[in-house]
Amino acid sequence: MSEWDVLLRELDEIPGVSGDEERVAAYMRQKLLPLSNGHWEDALGNQIFVKHGSRPDVKLMLSAHMDEIGFIVRHIDENGFVYFHPVGYHDSRMLMNQVLTIHTEAGPRQAITGTMPAHLLTAEMARRSIPLADIYLDLGTSSRAETMALGVQIGDMITFERKGTLLNGSKLFTGKAVDNRSSCAVLIETMKRLSGKQVQPTIYAVASVQEEVGLRGAGTAAFAIKPTVAIAIDVTFAGDSPALPATLPPMKLGGGPVIKYYDWTPDTGQGNNVPKSLTRQLVRTAESLGIPYQHQTVLNGGTDAATISLAGAGAVTGIISLPSRYIHSATGCVHLDDLAYTVDLLTAFIEQME
């Protein structure tokens, strides 16, 4: 089992729905405190780790969000069935025939998703996705009292029940929370690679919170840090599977980190136009060392770069992404080579930064 495999399995297994990232934060502290000269946690729960550089006035912020999409308990009916709200963006088609875990104060509780049997659906119902509001959780109980006796309460967070794994001995890792624990792994390995090295910029490695519910955490961290340059690390759509249209840029698993030039979510207005000065330097760094990389512009794929770039007086902010299949599902995939190449690129960029 490779070091990447171990790191990804451990990170993916931790429950950390947006707003409940405490357990992921504890893991990040365990890994990054020995590699840092300083650390603080802000009011929202962002974890900020500092590595001193020879130029304290030049601040480089690396940000990877800790949270995953999930659900939150909203109602327990008289028969013991549990209803929930989504936390983050979900595709309701993905909720059929799933096992979910409710994270109670008394410990994790398994539940299965329940809906009307296909035999009873009308033709109209069969043509559409089942609304999340109509899906319930079955814990095997027969009353509200029995469900609550298991420790289930309104406000408990819920995640997919799934173990991360490498598919058939390949380099393709799949898990419930590769968005964005894969980038947390990159952040850890980048700081490890820089450990003991003298660099010019002072590095602020941020494990941010609540990205999946509006890019909330990284912006507040950037407001406190006031970075000169910042890079958000996140996953992005891979275009190398049959389900995606040919017009989508063909980001390939194993093809190297994706340097983003532009992202924008029209419905919210959030996005980031990356300054050419930064993308040019990232490309020069990759090409000078023969590091594979890919280009991308994207709609409906906003990242923490949006709020980082606008915090305080603003910062030159870029995005380096890991290509991923099946984003925002229980079976997201990333390629181990892309993680390694991303660490190579980030490390080289930092070492060359003046």
Side-chain angles (χ1 to χ4, degrees):
M1 190 178 291
S2 72
E3 185 175 351
W4 278 116
D5 186 16
V6 172
L7 187 56
L8 285 170
R9 286 174 192 262
E10 290 178 349
L11 278 163
D12 189 77
E13 185 175 358
I14 305 169
V17 178
S18 299
D20 186 30
E21 300 95 346
E22 292 178 350
R23 284 161 285 207
V24 188
Y27 183 91
M28 297 301 285
R29 289 194 298 271
Q30 174 191 336
K31 293 293 184 180
L32 288 174
L33 280 174
L35 307 174
S36 306
N37 301 121
H39 163 265
W40 80 88
E41 176 179 334
D42 69 11
L44 287 185
N46 294 304
Q47 304 296 310
I48 299 101
F49 304 88
V50 185
K51 174 181 170 59
H52 294 155
S54 60
R55 291 283 304 277
D57 58 316
V58 179
K59 301 176 180 180
L60 173 64
M61 175 177 170
L62 303 176
S63 185
H65 72 86
M66 297 183 287
D67 56 312
E68 63 187 292
I69 60 171
F71 311 92
I72 187 168
V73 174
R74 68 174 175 87
H75 175 61
I76 305 168
D77 75 11
E78 62 181 12
N79 295 313
F81 297 109
V82 171
Y83 292 82
F84 51 85
H85 286 306
V87 180
Y89 174 76
H90 285 270
D91 181 346
S92 62
R93 296 175 304 167
M94 305 298 180
L95 263 288
M96 289 289 292
N97 306 316
Q98 289 282 357
V99 179
L100 303 184
T101 300
I102 304 174
H103 299 279
T104 79
E105 292 294 331
R109 301 290 184 254
Q110 278 65 50
I112 56 176
T113 55
T115 58
M116 183 182 293
H119 310 70
L120 304 180
L121 297 177
T122 65
E124 174 61 27
M125 293 167 67
R127 281 194 294 268
R128 61 182 176 85
S129 298
I130 301 171
L132 289 179
D134 293 345
I135 300 174
Y136 56 86
L137 298 181
D138 187 338
L139 287 84
T141 55
S142 57
S143 68
R144 181 185 291 116
E146 284 187 28
T147 295
M148 295 184 70
L150 291 173
V152 179
Q153 299 285 341
I154 306 302
D156 286 341
M157 294 296 189
I158 307 168
T159 60
F160 291 104
E161 175 69 21
R162 186 160 184 270
K163 296 287 187 183
T165 186
L166 289 175
L167 279 177
N168 300 311
S170 68
K171 292 185 177 181
L172 199 68
F173 181 87
T174 175
K176 69 174 179 62
V178 294
D179 179 4
N180 192 35
R181 304 291 163 67
S182 55
S183 297
C184 290
V186 165
L187 189 64
I188 290 168
E189 289 299 314
T190 300
M191 293 294 282
K192 187 182 299 182
R193 184 83 64 87
L194 292 169
S195 180
K197 292 185 177 182
Q198 182 63 57
V199 295
Q200 290 199 37
T202 293
I203 300 167
Y204 293 81
V206 178
S208 68
V209 299
Q210 299 192 42
E211 189 269 355
E212 299 290 4
V213 289
L215 319 178
R216 295 173 182 170
T220 63
F223 187 87
I225 294 167
K226 299 179 177 62
T228 313
V229 178
I231 296 176
I233 314 165
D234 208 334
V235 296
T236 192
F237 312 111
D240 59 351
S241 64
L244 275 71
T247 54
L248 193 73
M251 302 298 102
K252 294 184 177 180
L253 293 176
V258 176
I259 298 173
K260 275 192 181 175
Y261 291 78
Y262 168 86
D263 68 31
W264 184 45
T265 303
D267 288 347
T268 64
Q270 291 177 314
N272 187 45
N273 287 35
V274 183
K276 289 287 188 180
S277 59
L278 181 51
T279 53
R280 287 193 196 104
Q281 185 58 43
L282 289 168
V283 167
R284 278 198 295 265
T285 300
E287 292 184 347
S288 68
L289 296 173
I291 301 169
Y293 71 94
Q294 306 178 73
H295 303 269
Q296 188 183 46
T297 65
V298 67
L299 289 180
N300 299 315
T303 71
D304 276 336
T307 52
I308 294 171
S309 65
L310 299 177
V316 175
T317 306
I319 308 158
I320 295 181
S321 295
L322 303 168
S324 176
R325 292 180 188 154
Y326 323 125
I327 287 177
H328 280 223
S329 76
T331 57
C333 296
V334 289
H335 196 287
L336 298 190
D337 286 350
D338 292 328
L339 276 70
Y341 289 139
T342 300
V343 173
D344 291 342
L345 177 57
L346 286 170
T347 304
F349 174 77
I350 292 167
E351 290 177 331
Q352 296 176 21
M353 187 175 171
E354 298 179 356

